[in-house]
Amino acid sequence: MSHDQKKEEDPRKVNNQYPLDSNCYKILDEIGKGVSAIVYKAICLPIDSSVVAIKAIDLEKLKEDFDNVRREAKTMTLLSHPNILPAHCSFTVNTRLWVVMPFMSGGSLQSIISSSYPDGLSEYCIATVLKETLSALSYLHGQGHLHRDIKAGNILIDSNGSVKLADFGVSASIYESNLPYGSSSSSFSSSMMLTDVAGTPYWMAPEVIHSHTGYSLKADIWSFGITALELAHGRPPLSHLPPSKSLIMKITKRFRFSDYEKTKDTKNKKFSKSFKDMVGLCLDQDPSKRPSAEKLLKHSFFKNSKGPDFLVKTLLQGLPTVEKRFKEMKTQMPLSLNKTEEEDDDESVSENPKQRRISGWNFNEEGFKLDPVFPSDHKQVTFGGETIIKDKGKESDGSSNSSSPEQVLPETDQISVQESGSDSQGSNAGGGHYETDQISVQESRSENQGGNASGGQSVISGGSGAGAGAGGVVWKDNEMVLKTLKFLKDSVDDQRHLVSHMINLVRVEDTANLSREEQLMKEIDNLKVELENEKKKNSELQLELEILKLQLSDE
Amino acid sequence: MHTEPYIPGLILDREGLRFNGLRIYSPRTYSPQTRENAKRDAMWDYFAYMASRNTRVVWGRKKLGKIGGCLSSGGQPAAQSASASQAVARRLPLPENTDVGVENAKMKALFKPKPKTPADLVRQTRDLLIFADRGTDTKESKREEKMMELSKLIRDLKSILYGDSESEPVSEACTQLTQEFFRENTLRLLIICLPKLNLETRKDATQVVANLQRQQVQSRLIACDYLEKNIDLMDTLIAGYENTDLALHYGAMLRECIRHQSVARYVLESEHMKRFFDYIQLPNFDIASDAAATFKELLTRHKSTVAEFLSKNYDWFFAEYNSKLLESTNYITRRQAVKLLGDILLDRSNSAVMTRYVSSRDNLRILMNLLRESSKSIQIEAFHVFKLFAANQNKPPDIVGILVTNRSKLLRLFADFKTEKEDEQFEADKALVVKEIAALEPK
């Protein structure tokens, strides 16, 4: 034990030697980028050109006091654990805060997964990596600290296979004052653009989204469970949904681990019982029922863990460098980059602290009909409208057991109509927004119903069973046939009109349900504008009053 | 009753504080962070109040397991503690306290004797600290063993004061611990020996010292009494900012100690105050920002003491403040300094200092330079000070002169001067300042 402590002390003495002057460092490459921070690979010239990672945080983007930054920078300096990425030193360079850290050449697990293991890692790998992470978490919790942002993007691996938990605090708190969901720039994650702004909600515990008090130690355990799933599948659950939807899933408590497992079993991925049990414990809706980090370390799943050499031989084998992965991501995913920027804009609207807490929304949970959609194994994570439409197709298969027939009909119909709608609208419909698409399709449908093949067919088969039966008998006489056909056609037309009318009725209702969230958001926006106007008027009046008072007192 | 000097144009009403029609303080302008601090302060004030009323405050509820754990009932010391708590219970019929004795009796039956009372732990800690302080006259192996034991003891003290994962702290045990701690010179020993402890133990020790500042014994904050008699300890703690290894630990202890008004007064009036201007600008960010936090605490926590300090030391203090902080080449120093200046000047208790500050042409020049900064955050904070110059109804002629000369530039600046989020208060202030400047006549 005393030996251990000596070991821990020694590197700290070395740490203090890192110069506090930006001129002593030579920046080599950009290896990560977040909302208000950039991470560089650099060398420290006075210390034998040793390689370091430098996180440059733009302080100008922090609107609040520096109290949080201070507190977290301090905690980071004072933490000392083999599985926690320490800071060598930190100092300011103009408006940026430079945090100098050891360079972890393996990068983040998230970037490793997205570059080489899109379908997830083996259970041995998961157990090895997560055991180390958990021991870091147990130390943190013992010190009374929360990590608040456990995810694969924050678990880093060095070339020797050592695992370190990164981005403790500084980023979490920094982004907390900036962004509503405490998302962070995970230093090395290659698909940072995807996870950065949008990411963190997927890992957030339900009570974090709900409550006003925010995090408890057990919220980290939830995120840990989600991270386990992320490592197993290559992405966190619900990640094919935009973050706000993911949040709503958890708010409505539709997301349960058991549900997730059910759908998983139908796919070919099998997990051991101990893995499922471990994740299940972490994802208990009731925080008090989740195990502590210390307790979880003793779980049988972690008996599968191996040493760092194992990671070097398996996980790190033939992996592109961190820089390469970052560059590839930048060039290969311009689309998602753009998307993220859009997300960014959306987020910046909600940067206002008044609406920082999601629990402030007051939408009707019962009226919210969207069922959770589970990720299919071969689909890329995108946030565009197309993916959502495709998902709807899959969802309707799955939901047919649970939801009533009335719900199924409009939903299947909706998909076919949507597709034909985008056909008729030409090329510009493809990227169109979900909501607007729906409305425009509805219009085009009522105009040219004859041409709408798929929509029509479903109506025939569903609507006129009796007429179709009669058609088989009347073959002999052409006239009879013609007459019958005419009759049939009329009746079918009638039926079609009737059914389409009914569908429209149902559809309108359904649309209302589906977009309830958006409607409420719009309403909130409108109310806000009104409120602002009122406030402006009020302040103008007050100003006038004050000036009048001033004049009075002068006289 | 207002005790502060009469300031023309200063009105306090339900909406907050106004200075010549300009709202300079309103409860709504508090940031969430400030509100947090205010809550913390309120807690602190509550305890101080209870202390003054001779009322015992019970921290946290005890649990059965905890009493067993930390009083380790059984044997003679446990009997002592049981009777002690019974005595407390008799003296103070608070519901939380009444059943302590009963529970202790139960514990006595439940647990095997392992006599280590909180007081025992403190005594052992003290002995080991004396040993550690004495230097290296023992064998290395033995020394190491003793230091290990010391680390363990300090951790035990911490878990009594803070509770642990299973149980919350018990007031009776905390009291015993505090009493024994300050009966002799344990705090001094702990502070002096801190460099000899390992990192984890330093952190534990810091938390213990922090907690002890709030513990009451017989409704007194005895930590305060102790510090008043040993005020030179503050010199040691402040000097810690010059030592990279100790700065964060000593800094945290220092901030807890200056919660006591008398201690804060000592630090404010000492020569150390001047050194803070340099500590704030140390290159090491974590240390510099810790010093900045302490500096801010000193200048904002105890209103009357601060007001007295500022009016007595006005000349040197603001000369230093302007030249070293507001005109620093360091972005973060300027940003923090201008924010703190706003907090100080907009505080009602400092209104006399404020009127003096806004009558100086040099000060105006510095603030106007800050208004021109490329940093939005500095601009906004500078505006909150600048508005006071403009709102002052008794502007000296040279101030009016400067404002008139720069009128068109100022009005142009304010024309598209906006906060990122919409801020009605800010807009109202801006409108008033614009009106004021537009209406100025050169004298």
Side-chain angles (χ1 to χ4, degrees), chain A residues 280-298:
Chain A
L281 287 173
C282 295
L283 299 187
D284 198 306
Q285 288 279 343
D286 180 356
S288 64
K289 286 188 186 143
R290 289 173 217 151
S292 69
E294 211 182 336
K295 210 169 167 191
L296 200 58
L297 264 175
K298 294 179 188 125

Side-chain angles (χ1 to χ4, degrees), chain A residues 110-376:
Chain A
Q110 201 276 334
S111 88
I112 292 175
I113 287 173
S114 63
S115 93
S116 307
Y117 301 90
D119 293 329
L121 305 175
S122 76
E123 279 199 29
Y124 286 114
C125 264
I126 297 174
T128 311
V129 163
L130 284 189
K131 192 181 180 189
E132 303 292 304
T133 311
L134 203 51
S135 94
L137 204 54
S138 167
Y139 169 80
L140 271 183
H141 288 181
Q143 303 260 320
H145 297 306
L146 298 169
H147 187 283
R148 300 194 243 197
D149 206 9
I150 303 279
K151 56 183 181 186
N154 281 338
I155 301 171
L156 309 183
I157 303 204
D158 206 354
S159 52
N160 63 6
S162 67
V163 178
K164 289 188 201 290
L165 188 57
D167 259 1
F168 166 72
V170 169
S171 62
S173 74
I174 281 172
Y175 294 107
E176 202 169 48
S177 54
N178 243 351
L179 288 169
Y181 309 127
S183 61
S184 87
S185 85
S186 15
S187 332
F188 301 97
S189 70
S190 79
S191 72
M192 199 175 283
M193 301 305 176
L194 277 178
T195 58
D196 191 28
V197 178
T200 309
Y202 306 124
W203 288 264
M204 277 167 78
E207 78 272 13
V208 174
I209 302 160
H210 273 291
S211 81
H212 289 271
T213 49
Y215 294 84
S216 78
L217 299 176
K218 294 299 178 63
D220 275 349
I221 300 293
W222 171 283
S223 310
F224 182 82
I226 297 289
T227 307
L229 289 177
E230 183 188 9
L231 297 179
H233 294 298
R235 77 200 132 266
L238 303 177
S239 61
H240 54 289
L241 297 176
S244 57
K245 289 253 160 64
S246 155
L247 283 177
I248 287 151
M249 288 298 170
K250 284 177 198 160
I251 290 172
T252 52
K253 300 204 176 182
R254 300 244 172 184
F255 177 73
R256 294 224 167 73
F257 181 63
S258 53
D259 296 344
Y260 185 74
E261 270 306 302
K262 228 184 283 160
T263 55
K264 274 294 128 191
D265 280 346
T266 64
K267 309 273 165 11
N268 283 329
K269 202 129 190 185
K270 287 278 181 199
F271 294 109
S272 70
K273 200 169 169 292
S274 65
F275 177 77
K276 286 188 216 163
D277 182 61
M278 190 275 289
V279 176
L281 287 173
C282 295
L283 299 187
D284 198 306
Q285 288 279 343
D286 180 356
S288 64
K289 286 188 186 143
R290 289 173 217 151
S292 69
E294 211 182 336
K295 210 169 167 191
L296 200 58
L297 264 175
K298 294 179 188 125
H299 193 275
S300 64
F301 174 68
F302 296 108
K303 293 205 177 93
N304 295 330
S305 76
K306 314 250 169 174
D309 293 344
F310 175 75
L311 292 180
V312 176
K313 276 181 210 145
T314 55
L315 201 60
L316 301 178
Q317 210 48 246
L319 207 64
T321 65
V322 174
E323 302 93 294
K324 228 179 228 163
R325 274 180 263 161
F326 179 68
K327 268 183 208 124
E328 261 167 35
M329 181 277 294
K330 256 173 131 181
T331 49
Q332 279 180 3
M333 302 168 86
L335 186 74
S336 51
L337 257 169
N338 291 338
K339 291 260 162 66
T340 329
E341 269 156 32
E342 281 167 30
E343 284 290 338
D344 200 355
D345 287 343
D346 287 348
E347 296 277 350
S348 70
V349 175
S350 54
E351 263 177 38
N352 198 323
K354 282 172 207 155
Q355 45 181 136
R356 189 183 291 170
R357 293 224 163 80
I358 290 298
S359 50
W361 291 351
N362 191 15
F363 54 74
N364 183 354
E365 291 192 13
E366 292 312 305
F368 191 75
K369 291 280 193 237
L370 197 67
D371 276 313
V373 184
F374 299 109
S376 62

Side-chain angles (χ1 to χ4, degrees), chain B residues 419-442:
Chain B
T419 49
E420 213 142 273
K421 299 165 211 154
E422 211 151 289
D423 182 347
E424 33 150 342
Q425 183 75 57
F426 176 82
E427 290 300 323
D429 286 352
K430 201 179 80 179
L432 195 68
V433 167
V434 166
K435 209 160 222 165
E436 191 68 42
I437 292 175
L440 278 180
E441 297 287 337

Side-chain angles (χ1 to χ4, degrees), chain B residues 391-414:
Chain B
N392 183 4
Q393 290 306 295
N394 305 309
K395 292 185 205 60
D398 51 350
I399 298 257
V400 175
I402 293 176
L403 292 177
V404 168
T405 322
N406 296 287
R407 171 155 46 200
S408 63
K409 276 188 197 164
L410 281 168
L411 294 183
R412 212 184 324 135
L413 172 77
F414 291 136

Side-chain angles (χ1 to χ4, degrees), chain B residues 148-195:
Chain B
M148 288 286 301
E149 204 185 328
L150 180 58
S151 294
K152 205 191 154 293
L153 280 167
I154 293 175
R155 175 144 295 189
D156 288 347
L157 295 182
K158 182 181 121 180
S159 48
I160 291 175
L161 292 171
Y162 286 90
D164 51 41
S165 55
E166 274 113 54
S167 45
E168 288 184 35
V170 184
S171 58
E172 180 58 25
C174 295
T175 309
Q176 277 198 22
L177 192 158
T178 313
Q179 204 158 15
E180 185 58 34
F181 201 93
F182 290 112
R183 203 169 57 79
E184 278 181 56
N185 235 347
T186 323
L187 182 60
R188 178 179 297 273
L189 277 166
L190 190 59
I191 288 176
I192 291 171
C193 292
L194 200 79

